[in-house]
Amino acid sequence: MDCENESRSPEFPADLKYQSGFGNHFSSEAIAGALPRDQNNPLVCPYGLYAEQISGTSFTSPRKLNQRSWLYRVKPSVTHEPFKPRTPSHGKLVSEFNESNSSATPTQLRWKPVDVPEAPIDFIDGLYTVCGAGSSYLRHGFAIHMYAANKSMDNCAFCSADGDFLIVPQEGRLWVTTEFGKFQVSPGEVVVLPQGVRFVVELPDGPSRGYVAEIFGTHFQLPDLGPIGANGLASPRDFLVPVAMFDQSSHPGYVIVQKFGGELFTAKQDFSPFNVVAWHGNYVPYKYDLSKFCPYNTVLIDHGDPSINTVLTAPTDKPGVALLDFVIFPPRWLVAEHTFRPPYYHRNCMSEFMGLIYGGYEAKADGFVPGGASLHSCMTPHGPDTKTYEATIARGNEAGPHRIANTLAFMFESCLVPRVCRWALESTYMDHDYYQCWIGLKSHFTCELAKEQTQDLQNGLEEKK
């Protein structure tokens, strides 16, 4: 076997292959016979590989929830120098939210798109926390990050020991190399990188920006469909998992950057962490093309709740209550009769962070643009802006079917109340006039008409007497 020819190419493959499914037990080998056939960790693995398990749940988690994978690698990941705090420190990553690093506010917040810096900056240094709640130390909570970068990671790999990353690119493709294989992730797709999995982000298009949801202490799963039935929303077959590729070449001074408790630590080693020749298991990274989502909507009256468009959910122990839901608002038809079709005015016990990948958003005629973001926290009022309300009312009851096209917005929704990081509140991209979009809403209450109707009702009751 010519192992050199089987090694990872220095160039990103033009035609990547994937496996499909969600929650499956997958297996992949870059060299035939590299997977042990009868056991997980034999005394000597095929081709002299090391067996290494990565566990995403406790050993004794119920079998239906248990997640782990076995990796067969050229050298084990433990072969590195001691971790040291990264210098200079990052300073804008948080995984334990409290008064010292973030603030609570019930005000509606909105941010304009961040410009990608001119100075070279990779995914790690371009990543910053916007808001979040809970603690990675206590294994309960979430963090919402954004990133703006313009160069590929070089001779280093990143991983988060704090939680799973759900990355939503808004501008620029991502070439993501993981221990399990490679992804190409374009705007309109998302990728989930589980806690502890090492990865590299390359930027083939140059400048790139997007959003990241990180969850502590649990993993994403598909939402139950309930009375929808067996089909709809995100289909398991449309989730893609990479196939094994490996790099066995020497890499002197290679750096592992690990996020641990919101801080970054580095360790040096002399080989690539992507030296996995074969693997099997159900704890895997995956990607999903949002254009494949099968949305559901009302076909007669009223506006459905946004939960009907949930792609992935991270549950809590309380049934029906999510630590974090990932919800999208894709192109779709609006056909409801005698109905205010945009999202209704709302106060919610959940907190909602929204982003826009492309196009416009049906509830905001102005100000909410691709790459921007908004936050409406627990019980903070929100809803369509003045222009959207007035335009909807002007169309009247005979608006007819209407297709919302060229749009893709999303929402991270959580039962926890987020605290907002100082740098996000002080950002020059903060839209301090956001509240103005509702100030123009005027009263349409017709008092005289109400009096006439009341009088007619009273007259009718007297005639019956």
Side-chain angles (χ1 to χ4, degrees):
M1 174 67 67
D2 185 356
C3 291
E4 285 293 336
N5 291 337
E6 297 291 335
S7 296
R8 180 175 73 96
S9 167
E11 300 296 330
F12 212 83
D15 185 20
L16 287 172
K17 295 181 180 179
Y18 298 101
Q19 305 175 81
S20 69
F22 189 94
N24 303 22
H25 189 106
F26 299 93
S27 64
S28 182
E29 53 186 11
I31 299 176
L35 277 174
R37 297 306 176 199
D38 300 317
Q39 59 186 116
N40 291 323
N41 58 327
L43 178 63
V44 178
C45 293
Y47 302 107
L49 298 171
Y50 287 87
E52 178 178 297
Q53 183 176 206
I54 181 168
S55 297
T57 56
S58 65
F59 294 137
T60 53
S61 291
R63 175 166 285 201
K64 65 179 181 180
L65 301 176
N66 209 299
Q67 296 188 34
R68 63 92 177 95
S69 287
W70 281 92
L71 291 76
Y72 301 92
R73 51 198 322 153
V74 176
K75 291 181 71 174
S77 58
V78 71
T79 314
H80 62 78
E81 297 177 8
F83 278 102
K84 300 177 181 179
R86 185 175 185 247
T87 54
S89 63
H90 189 291
K92 288 189 176 181
L93 293 175
V94 178
S95 72
E96 186 170 37
F97 294 86
N98 54 49
E99 294 85 349
S100 69
N101 57 32
S102 53
S103 300
T105 175
T107 297
Q108 303 95 341
L109 301 177
R110 185 162 73 184
W111 293 270
K112 302 170 186 176
V114 173
D115 295 326
V116 177
E118 293 184 2
I121 187 169
D122 65 11
F123 177 83
I124 299 173
D125 289 314
L127 187 69
Y128 59 96
T129 309
V130 177
C131 62
S135 167
S136 66
Y137 291 95
L138 300 179
R139 312 305 307 132
H140 182 67
F142 71 94
I144 294 174
H145 317 287
M146 296 180 71
Y147 69 88
N150 56 23
K151 76 164 189 172
S152 300
M153 295 168 57
D154 182 35
N155 209 44
C156 68
F158 181 65
C159 77
S160 174
D162 296 331
D164 292 9
F165 269 30
L166 189 162
I167 302 178
V168 186
Q170 185 272 319
E171 180 180 306
R173 291 174 299 160
L174 307 179
W175 285 351
V176 183
T177 300
T178 76
E179 295 169 271
F180 294 79
K182 292 174 170 290
F183 296 97
Q184 175 172 275
V185 188
S186 301
E189 297 180 314
V190 299
V191 63
V192 173
L193 303 167
Q195 175 190 10
V197 172
R198 294 172 176 178
F199 63 92
V200 164
V201 175
E202 298 174 72
L203 308 178
D205 303 326
S208 179
R209 66 186 178 194
Y211 314 83
V212 179
E214 183 179 16
I215 52 173
F216 311 141
T218 187
H219 303 293
F220 287 106
Q221 63 186 48
L222 294 176
D224 290 330
L225 295 180
I228 291 177
N231 305 287
L233 307 187
S235 172
R237 68 181 296 193
D238 293 325
F239 289 83
L240 301 179
V241 172
V243 297
M245 296 181 181
F246 71 97
D247 180 0
Q248 64 166 347
S249 57
S250 176
H251 290 265
Y254 198 97
V255 177
I256 302 298
V257 183
Q258 182 154 311
K259 189 166 82 71
F260 188 90
E263 300 178 50
L264 297 186
F265 295 82
T266 61
K268 290 184 178 181
Q269 58 190 48
D270 61 3
F271 62 97
S272 167
F274 311 117
N275 64 353
V276 177
V277 181
W279 60 266
H280 74 85
N282 63 351
Y283 189 60
V284 295
Y286 54 87
K287 80 167 189 171
Y288 177 71
D289 182 346
L290 298 175
S291 70
K292 296 183 181 297
F293 187 78
C294 178
Y296 278 72
N297 208 346
T298 181
V299 295
L300 189 58
I301 59 169
D302 288 348
H303 183 97
D305 294 331
S307 53
I308 196 65
N309 288 322
T310 300
V311 180
L312 292 167
T313 183
T316 64
D317 293 335
K318 190 174 182 179
V321 179
L323 174 67
L324 191 130
D325 282 334
F326 174 54
V327 180
I328 65 170
F329 305 94
R332 63 201 184 281
W333 282 94
L334 300 182
V335 299
E337 301 173 351
H338 310 290
T339 295
F340 185 79
R341 289 177 177 176
Y344 42 72
Y345 294 99
H346 193 202
R347 287 179 294 162
N348 191 357
C349 64
M350 307 284 277
S351 295
E352 305 172 5
F353 177 95
M354 286 198 63
L356 185 60
I357 300 170
Y358 62 80
Y361 176 54
E362 60 189 298
K364 296 292 186 295
D366 297 314
F368 189 48
V369 296
S374 67
L375 177 64
H376 304 140
S377 291
C378 175
M379 290 302 169
T380 293
H382 55 278
D385 60 16
T386 303
K387 286 186 178 180
T388 301
Y389 179 87
E390 297 293 350
T392 302
I393 296 302
R395 294 188 191 101
N397 280 324
E398 306 305 322
H402 171 66
R403 189 177 192 274
I404 300 178
N406 188 34
T407 181
L408 185 55
F410 72 90
M411 178 170 69
F412 298 140
E413 184 178 59
S414 176
C415 66
L416 303 184
V417 179
R419 301 182 66 88
V420 185
C421 295
R422 181 186 68 258
W423 45 87
L425 290 173
E426 297 173 353
S427 170
T428 57
Y429 297 98
M430 172 71 77
D431 184 354
H432 294 286
D433 294 326
Y434 182 29
Y435 73 97
Q436 293 282 359
C437 77
W438 295 291
I439 294 300
L441 289 167
K442 59 185 179 181
S443 172
H444 293 271
F445 180 61
T446 51
C447 186
E448 292 302 320
L449 178 60
K451 288 181 179 178
E452 291 176 6
Q453 292 175 338
T454 301
Q455 187 60 51
D456 290 343
L457 178 62
Q458 290 176 345
N459 291 339
L461 291 174
E462 289 176 1
E463 288 177 3
K464 287 182 178 181
K465 291 180 179 179

